[in-house]
């Protein structure tokens, strides 16, 4: 089993280039099968969840040509099957985007129920509500989400809770429904806008993405396009927080600074300097951090996907901080691991109360999910001594070449898969 082994204490200096947004790419790949013409998608992150989804798209008959690790051509004209089920697709959350895409195009889909990171109960009632409102029959049986419609009709849908997944899924189906669909209380995340832009580049008629109300007029056919995915704001934020924790001076390139506003604001509050450029941000930190309060909220609020990384920063900030998680109830599973590294954190309901300690101490820890795994890597980079992060399978779902990018900034981190290599690394850095 692969692990990261980290010798903490090296400040980070240099430049790092951020890849395409995983959560935009997953939806865009699914949407790419909605036309029978060839779609070219660039700036694709080369991470595990993307590869699982591409494999599933190939399994139902679409042609997938990997031009290079970050560019793919997809042709959906060869699809013979609307049933998507294999042991891998059951493990990723974004499998649900194939429901909206297939329903829009073929008016029928059967997709294995989504898995994904265990960060709390992850209902799909809002997706079902949306599809039903458009006239589809929705049924869940034998682990499959089955949906079909004689006619998919545009309608008014109010989302009771802001949901990225439901907004995108309904938007995809509505792009090829008859008439006008209005999604109210829609998610405003940058990747919602990116998926809308992608669909529009294929000939869809979607207006208002990025606001509370999205209006979609269905079209009969979508056509070919060439599209480049937006930069990953969470990967960027993770590197920005790593610099904050270790100290240093790093230029984070290929980002959209506007998408990072909440992250940047919190970095400034804890005492870092952040300079914004057109498509880059520079983070300067002396490693001395101050306490603050943070609450996760839908965009433009502070992202839940940055919550564990934020808690790691606050764990070594002066004074007492609080982190309130308002999106997923089970996103504090890293707290026990961090405690083993010397953190003082008490969780009460959805609030973590954090009393800053001067330093973490290296320990052997498990990554409980994707972002928490990345957060433990940051803790390891800032810690005294050696940290081993197990279960990095989760981290590789969403971060491409994390250890290589960190190494290029001066971090001492290696991916190993046996005890001998682990000990070799320890000897090398000691
Ligand atoms: C997406 O998950 C992301 N996943 C998550 O990224 C991210 O944490 C989350 O959005 C919030 O930004 C992908 O894009 C693949 P939601 P999603 O629907 O779509 C409730 C990462 O680390 N809800 O916006 O599943 C839900 O329980 C991951 O990259 C319902 O009640 O999230 C939650 O409280 C993990 N009913 C809230 O809405 C529904 O039908 C927001 O969930 C759907 C959601």
């Amino acid at each position: 089993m692969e692990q990261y082994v980290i010798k903490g204490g090296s400040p980070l200096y240099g430049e790092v280039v951020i890849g395409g947004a995983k959560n935009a790419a997953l939806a865009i790949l699914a949407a790419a099968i909605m036309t029978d013409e060839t779609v070219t998608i660039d700036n694709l992150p080369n991470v595990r969840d993307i590869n699982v989804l591409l494999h599933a798209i190939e399994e139902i008959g679409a042609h997938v040509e990997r031009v290079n690790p970050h560019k793919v051509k997809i042709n959906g004209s060869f699809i013979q099957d609307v049933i998507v089920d294999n042991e891998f697709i059951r493990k990723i959350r974004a499998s649900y985007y194939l429901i909206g895409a297939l329903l829009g195009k073929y008016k029928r889909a059967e997709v294995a129920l989504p898995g994904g990171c265990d960060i709390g109960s992850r209902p799909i009632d809002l997706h079902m509500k949306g599809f039903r409102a458009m006239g589809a029959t929705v049924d869940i049986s034998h682990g499959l989400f089955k949906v079909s419609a004689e006619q998919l009709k545009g309608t008014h849908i109010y989302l009771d809770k802001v949901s990225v997944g439901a907004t995108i899924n309904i938007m995809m189906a509505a792009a090829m429904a008859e008439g006008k669909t209005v999604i109210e209380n829609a998610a405003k995340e940058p990747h919602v806008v990116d998926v809308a832009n992608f669909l529009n580049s294929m000939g869809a008629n979607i207006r208002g993405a990025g606001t509370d109300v999205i209006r979609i007029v269905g079209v009969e056919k979508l056509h070919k396009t060439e599209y480049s995915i937006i930069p990953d704001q969470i990967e960027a934020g993770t590197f920005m927080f790593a610099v904050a924790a270790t100290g240093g001076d790093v230029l984070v390139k290929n980002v959209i600074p506007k998408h990072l506003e909440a992250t940047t604001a919190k970095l400034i509050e804890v005492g870092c300097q952040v300079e914004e450029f057109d498509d880059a941000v520079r983070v300067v930190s002396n490693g001395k951090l101050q306490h603050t309060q943070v609450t996760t909220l839908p965009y433009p609020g502070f992202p839940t996907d940055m919550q564990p990384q934020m808690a790691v920063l606050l764990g070594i900030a002066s004074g007492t901080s609080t982190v309130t998680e308002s999106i997923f109830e089970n996103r504090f599973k890293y707290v026990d691991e961090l405690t083993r590294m010397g953190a003082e954190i008490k969780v009460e309901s959805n609030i973590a109360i954090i009393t800053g300690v001067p330093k973490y101490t290296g320990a052997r820890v498990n990554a409980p999910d994707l972002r928490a795994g990345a957060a433990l890597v940051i803790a390891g980079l800032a810690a005294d001594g050696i940290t081993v992060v197990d279960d990095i399978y989760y981290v590789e779902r969403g971060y491409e070449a994390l250890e290589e990018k960190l190494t290029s900034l001066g971090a001492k981190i290696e991916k190993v898969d046996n005890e001998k290599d682990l000990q070799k690394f320890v000897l090398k850095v000691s």
Side-chain angles (χ1 to χ4, degrees):
M1 220 171 44
E2 290 183 323
Q3 304 159 314
Y4 291 131
V5 52
I6 304 162
K7 165 84 162 54
S10 306
L12 302 180
Y13 287 99
E15 295 182 359
V16 63
V17 180
I18 298 306
K22 171 196 73 123
N23 289 341
L26 288 165
I28 285 173
L29 290 177
I33 64 166
M34 295 179 73
T35 169
D36 282 342
E37 299 179 14
T38 300
V39 168
T40 306
I41 299 162
D42 210 348
N43 204 31
L44 196 68
N46 187 18
V47 295
R48 203 176 298 245
D49 277 14
I50 295 291
N51 296 325
V52 168
L53 189 66
L54 280 174
H55 181 64
I57 288 173
E58 228 171 357
E59 268 196 350
I60 56 171
H63 280 188
V64 174
E65 183 199 336
R66 200 69 179 253
V67 181
N68 65 45
H70 301 120
K71 186 170 183 173
V72 70
K73 284 180 189 284
I74 296 177
N75 186 304
S77 66
F78 302 93
I79 292 174
Q80 311 106 6
D81 207 349
V82 292
I83 304 174
V84 190
D85 189 11
N86 67 44
E87 64 169 307
F88 304 107
I89 201 78
R90 269 177 250 139
K91 294 196 179 119
I92 70 165
R93 184 81 187 154
S95 57
Y96 58 39
Y97 288 136
L98 289 169
I99 307 173
L102 291 167
L103 178 66
K105 186 178 182 193
Y106 298 107
K107 313 294 173 246
R108 207 164 69 79
E110 292 190 19
V111 179
L113 273 183
C117 282
D118 180 13
I119 50 179
S121 108
R122 301 184 73 178
I124 44 172
D125 56 307
L126 296 172
H127 303 238
M128 294 166 76
K129 174 180 167 176
F131 296 146
R132 283 192 177 121
M134 283 191 271
T137 307
V138 181
D139 167 47
I140 294 178
S141 56
H142 307 291
L144 290 175
F145 188 118
K146 302 180 183 175
V147 59
S148 62
E150 287 284 317
Q151 254 185 329
L152 207 56
K153 288 212 154 164
T155 184
H156 242 85
I157 298 161
Y158 173 80
L159 295 179
D160 306 273
K161 201 167 178 185
V162 176
S163 160
V164 173
T167 302
I168 292 178
N169 228 344
I170 294 166
M171 194 166 75
M172 288 200 286
M176 293 190 82
E178 268 176 50
K180 186 170 174 179
T181 300
V182 179
I183 308 174
E184 289 191 68
N185 200 26
K188 299 188 283 247
E189 268 67 2
H191 38 296
V192 174
V193 180
D194 207 33
V195 180
N197 287 342
F198 171 72
L199 284 164
N200 283 343
S201 78
M202 290 206 295
N205 182 349
I206 302 171
R207 298 285 169 264
T211 74
D212 290 332
V213 184
I214 302 180
R215 294 184 169 80
I216 307 136
V217 180
V219 296
E220 237 171 71
K221 256 187 161 183
L222 295 172
H223 56 69
K224 67 180 174 187
T225 186
E226 289 192 15
Y227 196 82
S228 184
I229 290 164
I230 52 163
D232 196 310
Q233 96 221 44
I234 306 299
E235 186 195 9
T238 302
F239 277 96
M240 291 165 78
F241 278 25
V243 184
T246 60
D249 182 344
V250 170
L251 188 69
V252 182
K253 293 166 81 172
N254 186 34
V255 299
I256 299 174
K258 171 114 190 81
H259 295 170
L260 293 164
E261 273 175 355
T263 301
T264 298
K266 286 296 155 189
L267 277 181
I268 293 169
E269 270 177 45
V270 298
C272 299
Q273 288 169 45
V274 184
E275 205 179 337
E276 289 183 2
F277 302 94
D278 283 350
D279 60 355
V281 287
R282 177 178 170 210
V283 181
V284 181
S285 163
N286 60 9
K288 292 189 176 62
L289 305 171
Q290 292 144 28
H291 63 98
T292 193
Q293 269 76 45
V294 64
T295 300
T296 63
L297 285 170
Y299 188 84
F302 187 84
T304 172
D305 292 348
M306 285 298 299
Q307 182 263 102
Q309 300 90 314
M310 184 77 206
V312 162
L313 282 196
L314 297 177
I316 47 171
S318 65
T320 301
S321 301
T322 58
V323 173
T324 305
E325 172 56 59
S326 73
I327 313 284
F328 293 112
E329 72 278 9
N330 204 8
R331 227 168 178 175
F332 286 129
K333 288 205 302 189
Y334 59 87
V335 165
D336 288 348
E337 303 302 303
L338 212 51
T339 302
R340 277 137 51 77
M341 297 179 73
E344 285 184 27
I345 306 181
K346 208 166 82 182
V347 176
E348 282 177 8
S349 174
N350 66 334
I351 304 175
I353 301 150
I354 303 172
T355 308
V357 296
K359 271 250 163 206
Y360 292 123
T361 50
R364 197 159 187 141
V365 292
N366 287 302
D369 60 66
L370 164 59
R371 306 304 172 187
L376 290 170
V377 170
I378 297 177
L381 294 172
D384 265 345
I386 300 287
T387 296
V388 178
V389 182
D390 280 318
D391 292 338
I392 64 167
Y393 163 86
Y394 288 111
V395 181
E396 293 187 327
R397 292 179 72 151
Y399 291 90
E400 180 177 345
L402 181 63
E403 73 285 4
E404 287 168 29
K405 289 184 180 182
L406 286 168
T407 302
S408 76
L409 296 175
K412 296 197 171 70
I413 175 171
E414 214 166 277
K415 186 161 76 175
V416 296
D417 62 4
N418 61 68
E419 193 60 30
K420 206 171 131 205
D421 285 349
L422 195 157
Q423 292 308 336
K424 238 164 81 187
F425 172 86
V426 174
L427 268 179
K428 191 171 79 188
V429 295
S430 294

